[in-house]
Amino acid sequence: MKTPEIPLELPFDDYQQRQWHEVSPRGLIARAQKLGPAGKFRREGNAWVPTPYQGHAVLAVLNSTPDNDATARTLSEVQQALMAGFDNRDAFYPLPPASFHQTLANTLSDENYHRQVVRAGIADVYPERVATILGSLAADAGEVPVMRMVGISLFGTALGVLGVFHEKAAFDRVLALRDLFYGHPDIAALGIKRTRPFIGHITLGYIEANMDEAERVRLVGVVSDLNRGLAEQNLLFSMPVAELRAYDHLAEFRPLPQLPTYRF
């Protein structure tokens, strides 16, 4: 039987419905059964140690504009409330708030990065090549894309706050950037491919331990309580700039200020 193809992108209405479903009690209960350790961070005594995971990604970083200051503060508070409510510090690694971001396009990471960049001898020039292409892309006229962050969702190995769009035009501008980036022949020549549809989210942390049924139920309860509060707020994430950032693990995304960026 042929494996169904992953759609390049979700249609706007399907995207919006998906996001709202994932933060609903029914969506949370379904996802909770599939949670497992990410293997991206490990406990050594009282400290967390990251697992090496190198690569680059095109990001909109939450703290890159003062327009997002209120949202950044609220999400930091939500993350702390999540940790306090779940109360299992060995099971959940909270990402540093400075890392909060939206991935707009993935490039190469982990083994793919080492095989196609490091072993190919292009590690020194690879970031500039990718960023130069990113900076050369022409944005359509329009307003800066803004997401409304509506609730926490459970991913397979992580927790994140999902975003929807008030206007389809904003969603379309994000997809247009992805189409231009992944469709560029020089990006294809580097082996960079689109592997999944755009899903608006900010990752808050990673699951790093197996959980029993009681812990899953408690986690769903804590997240549901927080989501009721988030639904009453208007948490906005403005994304004026798409920039290439580098990472050696998934808790720190280093800026590359000397390289070109994309402005919506």
Side-chain angles (χ1 to χ4, degrees):
M1 181 180 295
K2 185 177 179 181
T3 302
E5 292 185 2
I6 299 174
L8 288 181
E9 303 292 355
L10 297 175
F12 178 67
D13 289 342
D14 292 350
Y15 170 88
Q16 299 281 87
Q17 291 173 13
R18 177 206 181 275
Q19 299 293 78
W20 283 111
H21 169 74
E22 291 293 325
V23 302
S24 70
R26 179 180 296 181
L28 293 172
I29 291 170
R31 290 288 185 179
Q33 300 307 311
K34 302 175 183 178
L35 289 174
K40 299 296 189 293
F41 302 89
R42 68 183 187 278
R43 288 287 264 185
E44 290 189 359
N46 293 324
W48 284 100
V49 178
T51 300
Y53 194 90
Q54 283 188 293
H56 297 76
V58 177
L59 309 180
V61 180
L62 187 65
N63 66 9
S64 65
T65 171
D67 292 344
N68 296 327
D69 285 353
T71 296
R73 286 192 297 272
T74 298
L75 292 186
S76 294
E77 293 166 0
V78 166
Q79 185 190 55
Q80 292 301 312
L82 178 63
M83 291 175 61
F86 185 51
D87 194 27
N88 186 342
R89 293 184 178 273
D90 291 332
F92 180 66
Y93 170 74
L95 286 167
S99 76
F100 290 172
H101 68 273
Q102 169 67 57
T103 300
L104 295 170
N106 283 300
T107 68
L108 301 170
S109 60
D110 201 30
E111 179 56 33
N112 288 334
Y113 175 76
H114 283 275
R115 182 178 62 252
Q116 296 170 235
V117 176
V118 177
R119 294 175 204 158
I122 62 171
D124 290 343
V125 298
Y126 173 80
E128 185 173 2
R129 285 187 186 178
V130 175
T132 297
I133 295 163
L134 177 67
S136 73
L137 304 177
D140 294 334
E143 295 183 359
V144 168
V146 176
M147 283 194 301
R148 178 188 169 202
M149 312 312 291
V150 293
I152 301 168
S153 174
L154 309 179
F155 308 139
T157 58
L159 281 73
V161 182
L162 297 191
V164 300
F165 292 85
H166 289 305
E167 302 290 341
K168 181 176 181 295
F171 177 74
D172 288 343
R173 295 200 79 201
V174 171
L175 298 197
L177 165 59
R178 288 167 57 83
D179 288 344
L180 289 170
F181 182 79
Y182 287 117
H184 197 286
D186 293 341
I187 289 295
L190 288 168
I192 297 169
K193 301 176 182 178
R194 176 166 21 195
T195 59
R196 62 184 70 91
F198 172 80
I199 298 295
H201 72 283
I202 295 173
T203 304
L204 298 179
Y206 287 90
I207 301 295
E208 289 299 359
N210 289 307
M211 292 187 292
D212 60 28
E213 185 60 25
E215 288 175 315
R216 295 173 195 271
V217 170
R218 186 167 78 249
L219 179 60
V220 168
V222 170
V223 171
S224 295
D225 287 344
L226 290 170
N227 282 356
R228 281 190 285 272
L230 288 170
E232 297 175 355
Q233 301 186 52
N234 192 34
L235 288 182
L236 301 181
F237 181 2
S238 179
M239 301 183 287
V241 178
E243 59 180 294
L244 188 72
R245 290 208 173 190
Y247 51 89
D248 296 317
H249 53 78
L250 294 180
E252 183 179 355
F253 298 83
R254 300 192 310 276
L256 304 168
Q258 75 279 14
L259 297 182
T261 61
Y262 176 98
R263 291 193 170 270
F264 285 100

mmCIF file of all heavy atoms in Angstrom, residues 115-143:
data_model
loop_
_atom_site.group_PDB
_atom_site.id
_atom_site.type_symbol
_atom_site.label_atom_id
_atom_site.label_comp_id
_atom_site.label_asym_id
_atom_site.label_seq_id
_atom_site.Cartn_x
_atom_site.Cartn_y
_atom_site.Cartn_z
ATOM 1 N N ARG A 115 26.496 14.923 7.698
ATOM 2 C CA ARG A 115 26.789 14.237 6.444
ATOM 3 C C ARG A 115 26.882 15.211 5.269
ATOM 4 O O ARG A 115 27.802 15.133 4.451
ATOM 5 C CB ARG A 115 25.710 13.186 6.164
ATOM 6 C CG ARG A 115 25.970 12.377 4.878
ATOM 7 C CD ARG A 115 24.913 11.323 4.642
ATOM 8 N NE ARG A 115 23.590 11.896 4.466
ATOM 9 C CZ ARG A 115 22.617 11.818 5.361
ATOM 10 N NH1 ARG A 115 22.813 11.225 6.534
ATOM 11 N NH2 ARG A 115 21.430 12.361 5.116
ATOM 12 N N GLN A 116 25.938 16.145 5.165
ATOM 13 C CA GLN A 116 25.828 16.987 3.979
ATOM 14 C C GLN A 116 26.572 18.318 4.085
ATOM 15 O O GLN A 116 26.761 18.990 3.071
ATOM 16 C CB GLN A 116 24.347 17.233 3.668
ATOM 17 C CG GLN A 116 23.602 15.962 3.294
ATOM 18 C CD GLN A 116 22.101 16.149 3.215
ATOM 19 O OE1 GLN A 116 21.342 15.448 3.873
ATOM 20 N NE2 GLN A 116 21.653 17.097 2.410
ATOM 21 N N VAL A 117 26.984 18.663 5.313
ATOM 22 C CA VAL A 117 27.687 19.943 5.493
ATOM 23 C C VAL A 117 29.089 19.714 6.059
ATOM 24 O O VAL A 117 30.085 20.071 5.426
ATOM 25 C CB VAL A 117 26.890 20.892 6.414
ATOM 26 C CG1 VAL A 117 27.666 22.180 6.665
ATOM 27 C CG2 VAL A 117 25.531 21.209 5.795
ATOM 28 N N VAL A 118 29.172 19.107 7.233
ATOM 29 C CA VAL A 118 30.474 18.943 7.886
ATOM 30 C C VAL A 118 31.375 18.029 7.061
ATOM 31 O O VAL A 118 32.504 18.397 6.705
ATOM 32 C CB VAL A 118 30.304 18.408 9.319
ATOM 33 C CG1 VAL A 118 31.676 18.175 9.957
ATOM 34 C CG2 VAL A 118 29.490 19.391 10.159
ATOM 35 N N ARG A 119 30.904 16.827 6.752
ATOM 36 C CA ARG A 119 31.742 15.885 6.002
ATOM 37 C C ARG A 119 31.967 16.329 4.567
ATOM 38 O O ARG A 119 32.952 15.932 3.937
ATOM 39 C CB ARG A 119 31.105 14.494 6.026
ATOM 40 C CG ARG A 119 31.066 13.872 7.414
ATOM 41 C CD ARG A 119 30.323 12.558 7.413
ATOM 42 N NE ARG A 119 29.795 12.236 8.736
ATOM 43 C CZ ARG A 119 28.788 11.399 8.958
ATOM 44 N NH1 ARG A 119 28.191 10.798 7.932
ATOM 45 N NH2 ARG A 119 28.375 11.173 10.194
ATOM 46 N N ALA A 120 31.066 17.161 4.060
ATOM 47 C CA ALA A 120 31.235 17.687 2.699
ATOM 48 C C ALA A 120 32.218 18.844 2.653
ATOM 49 O O ALA A 120 32.553 19.337 1.567
ATOM 50 C CB ALA A 120 29.888 18.132 2.144
ATOM 51 N N GLY A 121 32.692 19.310 3.831
ATOM 52 C CA GLY A 121 33.697 20.354 3.884
ATOM 53 C C GLY A 121 33.189 21.745 3.610
ATOM 54 O O GLY A 121 33.971 22.624 3.220
ATOM 55 N N ILE A 122 31.872 21.988 3.831
ATOM 56 C CA ILE A 122 31.319 23.315 3.540
ATOM 57 C C ILE A 122 30.794 24.016 4.797
ATOM 58 O O ILE A 122 30.043 24.993 4.698
ATOM 59 C CB ILE A 122 30.207 23.245 2.468
ATOM 60 C CG1 ILE A 122 29.023 22.386 2.972
ATOM 61 C CG2 ILE A 122 30.763 22.710 1.157
ATOM 62 C CD1 ILE A 122 27.801 22.475 2.045
ATOM 63 N N ALA A 123 31.188 23.529 5.986
ATOM 64 C CA ALA A 123 30.659 24.102 7.229
ATOM 65 C C ALA A 123 30.959 25.592 7.353
ATOM 66 O O ALA A 123 30.149 26.351 7.894
ATOM 67 C CB ALA A 123 31.217 23.347 8.439
ATOM 68 N N ASP A 124 32.106 26.041 6.856
ATOM 69 C CA ASP A 124 32.481 27.448 6.989
ATOM 70 C C ASP A 124 31.645 28.362 6.108
ATOM 71 O O ASP A 124 31.435 29.534 6.442
ATOM 72 C CB ASP A 124 33.965 27.635 6.662
ATOM 73 C CG ASP A 124 34.879 27.039 7.724
ATOM 74 O OD1 ASP A 124 34.390 26.778 8.841
ATOM 75 O OD2 ASP A 124 36.070 26.824 7.430
ATOM 76 N N VAL A 125 31.179 27.856 4.995
ATOM 77 C CA VAL A 125 30.454 28.711 4.035
ATOM 78 C C VAL A 125 28.956 28.449 4.020
ATOM 79 O O VAL A 125 28.188 29.254 3.475
ATOM 80 C CB VAL A 125 31.017 28.532 2.609
ATOM 81 C CG1 VAL A 125 32.487 28.950 2.566
ATOM 82 C CG2 VAL A 125 30.860 27.092 2.118
ATOM 83 N N TYR A 126 28.534 27.359 4.607
ATOM 84 C CA TYR A 126 27.126 26.958 4.548
ATOM 85 C C TYR A 126 26.175 28.016 5.108
ATOM 86 O O TYR A 126 25.184 28.374 4.435
ATOM 87 C CB TYR A 126 26.956 25.623 5.271
ATOM 88 C CG TYR A 126 25.537 25.160 5.452
ATOM 89 C CD1 TYR A 126 24.837 24.550 4.410
ATOM 90 C CD2 TYR A 126 24.882 25.316 6.681
ATOM 91 C CE1 TYR A 126 23.542 24.111 4.583
ATOM 92 C CE2 TYR A 126 23.589 24.883 6.861
ATOM 93 C CZ TYR A 126 22.919 24.278 5.814
ATOM 94 O OH TYR A 126 21.635 23.857 5.993
ATOM 95 N N PRO A 127 26.402 28.574 6.313
ATOM 96 C CA PRO A 127 25.449 29.569 6.822
ATOM 97 C C PRO A 127 25.303 30.771 5.896
ATOM 98 O O PRO A 127 24.186 31.256 5.680
ATOM 99 C CB PRO A 127 26.036 29.969 8.182
ATOM 100 C CG PRO A 127 26.913 28.829 8.572
ATOM 101 C CD PRO A 127 27.478 28.306 7.293
ATOM 102 N N GLU A 128 26.422 31.249 5.356
ATOM 103 C CA GLU A 128 26.343 32.416 4.470
ATOM 104 C C GLU A 128 25.586 32.086 3.192
ATOM 105 O O GLU A 128 24.815 32.911 2.685
ATOM 106 C CB GLU A 128 27.743 32.921 4.133
ATOM 107 C CG GLU A 128 27.722 34.197 3.309
ATOM 108 C CD GLU A 128 29.104 34.786 3.109
ATOM 109 O OE1 GLU A 128 30.092 34.180 3.584
ATOM 110 O OE2 GLU A 128 29.192 35.863 2.489
ATOM 111 N N ARG A 129 25.781 30.898 2.674
ATOM 112 C CA ARG A 129 25.054 30.506 1.457
ATOM 113 C C ARG A 129 23.545 30.507 1.702
ATOM 114 O O ARG A 129 22.775 31.045 0.909
ATOM 115 C CB ARG A 129 25.492 29.106 1.005
ATOM 116 C CG ARG A 129 26.857 29.042 0.348
ATOM 117 C CD ARG A 129 27.101 27.640 -0.194
ATOM 118 N NE ARG A 129 28.457 27.484 -0.708
ATOM 119 C CZ ARG A 129 28.929 26.345 -1.202
ATOM 120 N NH1 ARG A 129 28.162 25.275 -1.256
ATOM 121 N NH2 ARG A 129 30.170 26.275 -1.649
ATOM 122 N N VAL A 130 23.139 29.901 2.815
ATOM 123 C CA VAL A 130 21.709 29.819 3.114
ATOM 124 C C VAL A 130 21.134 31.209 3.396
ATOM 125 O O VAL A 130 20.071 31.578 2.879
ATOM 126 C CB VAL A 130 21.457 28.879 4.302
ATOM 127 C CG1 VAL A 130 19.976 28.890 4.693
ATOM 128 C CG2 VAL A 130 21.901 27.458 3.965
ATOM 129 N N ALA A 131 21.822 31.998 4.209
ATOM 130 C CA ALA A 131 21.320 33.322 4.576
ATOM 131 C C ALA A 131 21.295 34.270 3.385
ATOM 132 O O ALA A 131 20.409 35.122 3.282
ATOM 133 C CB ALA A 131 22.161 33.914 5.701
ATOM 134 N N THR A 132 22.249 34.146 2.495
ATOM 135 C CA THR A 132 22.262 34.992 1.301
ATOM 136 C C THR A 132 21.034 34.705 0.436
ATOM 137 O O THR A 132 20.399 35.632 -0.096
ATOM 138 C CB THR A 132 23.551 34.765 0.498
ATOM 139 O OG1 THR A 132 24.670 35.156 1.299
ATOM 140 C CG2 THR A 132 23.547 35.589 -0.783
ATOM 141 N N ILE A 133 20.688 33.450 0.310
ATOM 142 C CA ILE A 133 19.474 33.098 -0.427
ATOM 143 C C ILE A 133 18.250 33.647 0.292
ATOM 144 O O ILE A 133 17.361 34.253 -0.333
ATOM 145 C CB ILE A 133 19.375 31.572 -0.593
ATOM 146 C CG1 ILE A 133 20.525 31.056 -1.458
ATOM 147 C CG2 ILE A 133 18.031 31.179 -1.197
ATOM 148 C CD1 ILE A 133 20.754 29.569 -1.363
ATOM 149 N N LEU A 134 18.196 33.469 1.609
ATOM 150 C CA LEU A 134 17.069 33.981 2.390
ATOM 151 C C LEU A 134 16.916 35.489 2.188
ATOM 152 O O LEU A 134 15.812 35.991 1.956
ATOM 153 C CB LEU A 134 17.289 33.665 3.871
ATOM 154 C CG LEU A 134 16.239 34.184 4.854
ATOM 155 C CD1 LEU A 134 14.909 33.483 4.642
ATOM 156 C CD2 LEU A 134 16.724 33.995 6.299
ATOM 157 N N GLY A 135 18.026 36.214 2.269
ATOM 158 C CA GLY A 135 17.972 37.665 2.127
ATOM 159 C C GLY A 135 17.627 38.138 0.732
ATOM 160 O O GLY A 135 17.192 39.283 0.547
ATOM 161 N N SER A 136 17.808 37.269 -0.267
ATOM 162 C CA SER A 136 17.517 37.653 -1.654
ATOM 163 C C SER A 136 16.056 37.481 -2.022
ATOM 164 O O SER A 136 15.617 37.958 -3.078
ATOM 165 C CB SER A 136 18.369 36.815 -2.617
ATOM 166 O OG SER A 136 17.892 35.471 -2.686
ATOM 167 N N LEU A 137 15.289 36.803 -1.171
ATOM 168 C CA LEU A 137 13.893 36.535 -1.483
ATOM 169 C C LEU A 137 13.067 37.804 -1.344
ATOM 170 O O LEU A 137 13.262 38.584 -0.419
ATOM 171 C CB LEU A 137 13.348 35.440 -0.567
ATOM 172 C CG LEU A 137 14.117 34.116 -0.578
ATOM 173 C CD1 LEU A 137 13.512 33.150 0.427
ATOM 174 C CD2 LEU A 137 14.136 33.501 -1.969
ATOM 175 N N ALA A 138 12.158 37.997 -2.253
ATOM 176 C CA ALA A 138 11.342 39.213 -2.270
ATOM 177 C C ALA A 138 10.013 38.960 -1.573
ATOM 178 O O ALA A 138 9.236 38.093 -1.982
ATOM 179 C CB ALA A 138 11.103 39.663 -3.708
ATOM 180 N N ALA A 139 9.749 39.734 -0.525
ATOM 181 C CA ALA A 139 8.490 39.592 0.211
ATOM 182 C C ALA A 139 7.372 40.316 -0.524
ATOM 183 O O ALA A 139 7.565 41.404 -1.064
ATOM 184 C CB ALA A 139 8.639 40.166 1.620
ATOM 185 N N ASP A 140 6.185 39.700 -0.539
ATOM 186 C CA ASP A 140 5.011 40.385 -1.069
ATOM 187 C C ASP A 140 4.634 41.545 -0.149
ATOM 188 O O ASP A 140 4.894 41.501 1.056
ATOM 189 C CB ASP A 140 3.825 39.417 -1.172
ATOM 190 C CG ASP A 140 4.054 38.313 -2.199
ATOM 191 O OD1 ASP A 140 4.835 38.553 -3.143
ATOM 192 O OD2 ASP A 140 3.471 37.230 -2.045
ATOM 193 N N ALA A 141 4.030 42.561 -0.717
ATOM 194 C CA ALA A 141 3.595 43.694 0.094
ATOM 195 C C ALA A 141 2.498 43.248 1.050
ATOM 196 O O ALA A 141 1.649 42.418 0.722
ATOM 197 C CB ALA A 141 3.088 44.815 -0.808
ATOM 198 N N GLY A 142 2.517 43.797 2.250
ATOM 199 C CA GLY A 142 1.501 43.449 3.235
ATOM 200 C C GLY A 142 1.985 43.733 4.639
ATOM 201 O O GLY A 142 3.117 44.166 4.855
ATOM 202 N N GLU A 143 1.125 43.475 5.599
ATOM 203 C CA GLU A 143 1.470 43.725 6.993
ATOM 204 C C GLU A 143 2.317 42.587 7.544
ATOM 205 O O GLU A 143 2.320 41.467 7.032
ATOM 206 C CB GLU A 143 0.190 43.870 7.819
ATOM 207 C CG GLU A 143 -0.653 45.082 7.435
ATOM 208 C CD GLU A 143 -1.874 45.223 8.323
ATOM 209 O OE1 GLU A 143 -2.065 44.378 9.215
ATOM 210 O OE2 GLU A 143 -2.626 46.199 8.117
#
